[in-house]
């Protein structure tokens, strides 16, 4: 009988093979793979509700949320832009991305094939139609009609397959939400189904569209995760979302992208477009000139001018404010203007005054909130704004965030609240509406002057603000987590002499 002696080389080979076999049985988790590579792979499509680029800079509600998630994980965010939701679902089904941003609500077919997490935005499927078409208020009124929609949306499963009681469904894989609405607006399509949030972001640009009825109750939009992943990433994102809710980050992003959308109806949109065509060209060179002088985007100054006077140089209010920028006599003197009814002097004075108001807002406040605060101060006065910020702080909310302070401004009209303030009564609803209106007019002007920008896309950071430092919202500053009370920046002790314009 012949024996075989083991050699050191053979023993080492056996150990290596065993190690490889063991390592194959202990594949890193999805979360560990992301951290090992240092990259979070996200796939999405271009839409103002999700992701878009303006002047080369990515933004959008879901993009910003994903960016904060990547920062939270300490990895790079790498975004792949798909043609449509069909491509996103295909990529996720093959586990070629970690997260998919589709802008859809959860439904059985989706949750059967992917893991889902709500994003903090609710939407419902709605029917829209051209204003010259027969109004519809229920599914039975669509019998025999064609309803147009995008593929792999949240709507198709809500409308049964065509029969005598249901409409025909026509899918348009080459379109996005704005393209679908544009065809309804032009009368090429009579009826369409769309997500309510995409309608809100786009409708002001398509004034011939009316909302019919909802196909569903509002539901959370969701992020999608491949079913082949383990649960480590989805659990981590769920934890991140909860922190983002508690810190106010989600509320801040909602306010930035959706907080100003209900302030311009059909009549207001048509009136604005009419005035753009008839009046703006006369004053645009002046807005540009004094925007350069004061360091603002000219469209912001133009939006202020439209809100104040609809670009009427001879406008006079019963309270004595006058001119295109509607300056009070004291404000005009404050900025060195002697003829408020002269359009150039009015625009010059308004721009200078807005710059001085803006500089009174603490520079620790990140953009775009600092601009929204400056607009509110331009409207109601710096003292009243500071009163509202003090009330905000006293209620345990953040006085440096517009989304919090705009809840307290209306309280300045109630005695139980304004009696506690330094400057007393103010019509606090007005600055809130004032800011929202100007933001909507600014949306319009950006769309008109930058036609490549997606419909409904809010102004980009490069227009007149720097990237906001929102990451601080993710820091867990609660008493329970740190043992210390939440950090609050102190308010200026002296409110200063700047007079309100109204």
């Amino acid at each position: 009988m012949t024996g075989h002696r083991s050699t050191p080389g053979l023993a080492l080979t056996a150990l290596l093979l065993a190690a490889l076999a063991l390592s194959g049985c202990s594949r890193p988790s999805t979360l560990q793979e992301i951290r090992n590579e240092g990259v979070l792979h996200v796939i999405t499509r271009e839409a103002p509700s999700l992701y878009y680029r303006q002047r080369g800079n990515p933004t959008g509600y879901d993009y910003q949320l994903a960016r904060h998630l990547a920062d939270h994980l300490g990895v790079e965010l790498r975004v792949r832009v798909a043609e449509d939701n069909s491509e996103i679902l295909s990529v996720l089904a093959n586990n070629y991305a970690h997260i998919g941003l589709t802008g859809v609500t959860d439904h059985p077919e989706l949750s059967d094939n992917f893991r889902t997490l709500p994003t903090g935005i609710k939407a419902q499927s709605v029917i829209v139609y051209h204003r010259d078409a027969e109004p519809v208020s229920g599914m039975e009124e669509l019998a025999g009609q064609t309803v147009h929609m995008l593929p792999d949306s949240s709507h198709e499963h809500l409308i049964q397959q065509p029969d005598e009681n249901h409409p025909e469904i026509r899918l348009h894989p080459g379109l996005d939400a704005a393209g679908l609405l544009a065809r309804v607006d032009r009368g090429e399509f009579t009826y369409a189904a769309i997500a309510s949030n995409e309608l809100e972001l786009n409708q002001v640009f398509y004034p011939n569209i009316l909302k019919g009825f909802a196909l569903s109750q509002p539901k959370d939009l969701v992020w999608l995760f491949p079913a082949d992943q383990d649960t480590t990433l989805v659990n981590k994102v769920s934890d991140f979302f909860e922190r983002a809710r508690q810190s106010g980050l989600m509320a801040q992003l909602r306010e930035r992208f959706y907080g100003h959308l209900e302030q311009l109806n059909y009549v207001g949109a048509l009136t604005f477009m009419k005035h753009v065509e008839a009046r703006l060209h006369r004053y645009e060179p002046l807005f540009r000139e004094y925007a350069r002088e004061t360091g603002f985007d000219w469209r912001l100054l133009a939006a202020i001018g439209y809100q104040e006077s609809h670009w009427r140089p001879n406008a006079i209010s019963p309270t004595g404010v006058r001119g295109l920028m509607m300056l009070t006599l004291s404000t005009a003197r404050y900025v060195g203007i002697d003829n408020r009814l002269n359009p150039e002097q009015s625009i010059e004075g308004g721009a200078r005054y807005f710059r001085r108001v803006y500089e009174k807002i603490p520079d620790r406040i990140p953009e775009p909130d600092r601009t929204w605060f400056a607009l509110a101060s331009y409207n109601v006065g710096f003292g009243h704004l500071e009163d509202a910020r003090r009330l905000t702080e006293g209620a345990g909310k953040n006085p440096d965030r517009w989304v919090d302070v705009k809840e307290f401004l209306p309280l300045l009209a109630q005695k139980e609240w304004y009696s506690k303030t330094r400057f007393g009564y103010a019509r606090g609803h007005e600055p809130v509406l004032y800011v929202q209106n100007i933001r909507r007019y600014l949306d319009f002007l950006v769309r008109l002057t930058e036609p490549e920008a997606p419909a409904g896309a809010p102004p980009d950071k490069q227009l007149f603000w720097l990237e906001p430092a929102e990451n601080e919202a993710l820091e867990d500053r609660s008493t329970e987590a740190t043992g210390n009370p939440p950090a609050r920046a102190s308010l200026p002790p002296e409110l200063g002499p700047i007079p309100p314009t109204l």
Side-chain angles (χ1 to χ4, degrees):
M1 194 172 170
T2 305
H4 295 279
R5 295 179 63 187
S6 208
T7 66
L10 289 174
L12 180 60
T13 300
L15 287 172
L16 289 173
L17 290 173
L20 288 172
L22 287 172
S23 66
C25 295
S26 57
R27 177 181 174 180
S29 69
T30 300
L31 187 58
Q32 191 58 52
E33 286 179 345
I34 292 170
R35 286 175 168 155
N36 289 345
E37 184 187 2
V39 177
L40 177 67
H41 292 277
V42 170
I43 183 166
T44 186
R45 58 184 171 85
E46 285 193 298
S49 57
L50 298 170
Y51 167 92
Y52 62 94
R53 299 184 71 88
Q54 196 169 51
R55 296 188 177 183
N57 297 287
T59 190
Y61 177 89
D62 287 76
Y63 168 80
Q64 293 289 350
L65 202 55
R67 182 175 65 82
H68 286 296
L69 170 63
D71 290 343
H72 180 62
L73 296 176
V75 299
E76 172 193 350
L77 174 64
R78 195 168 295 172
V79 177
R80 171 177 171 181
V81 181
E83 287 293 324
D84 52 30
N85 279 351
S86 300
E87 181 181 345
I88 296 174
L89 298 182
S90 175
V91 167
L92 293 176
N94 287 285
N95 201 17
Y96 291 155
H98 297 125
I99 304 173
L101 317 179
T102 59
V104 299
T105 58
D106 203 355
H107 55 82
E109 184 179 346
L110 203 62
S111 54
D112 285 346
N113 294 284
F114 304 95
R115 304 181 195 277
T116 63
L117 278 180
T119 67
I121 297 294
K122 289 185 180 292
Q124 59 187 154
S125 298
V126 296
I127 297 293
V128 297
Y129 60 95
H130 190 276
R131 63 174 48 254
D132 291 339
E134 286 295 322
V136 289
S137 58
M139 186 67 71
E140 65 282 353
E141 297 173 18
L142 288 174
Q145 302 290 340
T146 299
V147 175
H148 303 266
M149 64 182 69
L150 307 180
D152 291 310
S153 62
S154 304
H155 327 305
E156 188 174 356
H157 74 284
L158 297 171
I159 302 178
Q160 298 178 15
Q161 292 302 310
D163 58 31
E164 66 275 8
N165 297 317
H166 291 87
E168 176 187 355
I169 297 174
R170 186 78 56 84
L171 301 178
H172 298 275
L175 297 181
D176 59 5
L180 187 69
L181 291 171
R183 282 158 177 79
V184 178
D185 186 71
R186 294 197 297 264
E188 296 175 24
F189 299 164
T190 306
Y191 301 101
I194 193 167
S196 58
N197 68 310
E198 293 191 314
L199 178 63
E200 291 168 2
L201 286 162
N202 288 284
Q203 186 171 16
V204 70
F205 304 111
Y206 305 108
N208 290 315
I209 291 177
L210 297 179
K211 180 179 176 181
F213 63 95
L215 294 168
S216 65
Q217 294 297 315
K219 296 178 64 178
D220 285 297
L221 301 180
V222 293
W223 280 6
L224 305 181
F225 302 78
D228 289 346
Q229 288 182 3
D230 59 35
T231 60
T232 55
L233 176 60
V234 72
N235 290 342
K236 188 67 174 178
V237 177
S238 178
D239 175 68
F240 165 80
F241 278 178
E242 182 58 31
R243 294 184 67 192
R245 290 186 190 96
Q246 292 180 0
S247 69
L249 173 63
M250 277 188 171
Q252 191 169 9
L253 291 177
R254 277 197 306 271
E255 201 285 328
R256 179 193 295 190
F257 291 96
Y258 293 93
H260 63 297
L261 297 180
E262 298 180 356
Q263 294 310 121
L264 199 59
N265 58 19
Y266 170 72
V267 174
L270 287 184
T271 302
F272 182 79
M273 290 302 298
K274 177 182 175 182
H275 290 160
V276 166
E277 295 173 1
R279 299 176 183 175
L280 181 57
H281 67 92
R282 304 178 205 166
Y283 309 114
E284 181 178 332
L286 296 173
F287 284 123
R288 288 182 179 272
E289 177 182 351
Y290 292 106
R292 284 192 296 269
E293 179 183 297
T294 55
F296 293 110
D297 188 285
W298 75 268
R299 292 165 295 192
L300 175 62
L301 297 183
I304 295 172
Y306 188 78
Q307 171 65 23
E308 292 288 353
S309 69
H310 285 197
W311 300 320
R312 292 179 296 123
N314 297 320
I316 300 176
S317 84
T319 59
V321 291
R322 295 187 174 195
L324 194 146
M325 299 297 278
M326 295 297 274
L327 304 175
T328 65
L329 183 59
S330 62
T331 299
R333 290 172 177 165
Y334 182 68
V335 293
I337 297 302
D338 56 26
N339 185 356
R340 289 178 288 164
L341 297 182
N342 177 286
E344 179 169 2
Q345 288 196 36
S346 183
I347 292 172
E348 178 185 8
R352 289 180 180 176
Y353 177 62
F354 186 66
R355 167 50 64 183
R356 296 185 185 185
V357 169
Y358 180 87
E359 290 173 350
K360 292 288 288 185
I361 306 300
D363 57 12
R364 67 172 178 271
I365 297 177
E367 292 290 2
D369 289 46
R370 189 179 180 191
T371 296
W372 307 153
F373 280 130
L375 289 171
S377 179
Y378 189 96
N379 173 259
V380 77
F382 188 76
H384 291 306
L385 174 65
E386 290 300 290
D387 281 346
R389 293 181 63 223
R390 292 181 191 279
L391 292 176
T392 305
E393 185 176 41
K397 294 194 173 184
N398 192 338
D400 290 351
R401 291 200 316 191
W402 174 247
V403 68
D404 290 338
V405 175
K406 75 174 187 177
E407 295 180 14
F408 287 84
L409 273 164
L411 300 182
L412 298 179
Q414 301 176 30
K415 186 175 181 180
E416 61 182 301
W417 293 95
Y418 72 71
S419 61
K420 305 172 185 177
T421 66
R422 178 177 174 183
F423 287 86
Y425 172 84
R427 293 184 293 181
H429 289 88
E430 290 187 0
V432 176
L433 296 176
Y434 183 88
V435 173
Q436 290 176 327
N437 284 340
I438 289 174
R439 290 173 64 180
R440 208 60 175 123
Y441 298 141
L442 182 57
D443 280 358
F444 240 126
L445 292 173
V446 170
R447 174 74 187 284
L448 293 172
T449 55
E450 294 184 18
E452 74 280 4
D460 183 76
K461 65 186 181 184
Q462 287 193 356
L463 294 180
F464 52 87
W465 57 69
L466 301 176
E467 180 66 16
E470 292 165 344
N471 278 324
E472 65 181 6
L474 284 178
E475 297 175 5
D476 194 342
R477 296 171 291 177
S478 67
T479 302
E480 299 149 72
T482 65
N484 298 313
R488 295 288 180 192
S490 59
L491 295 173
E494 297 300 328
L495 299 182
I498 293 184
T501 58
L502 290 178

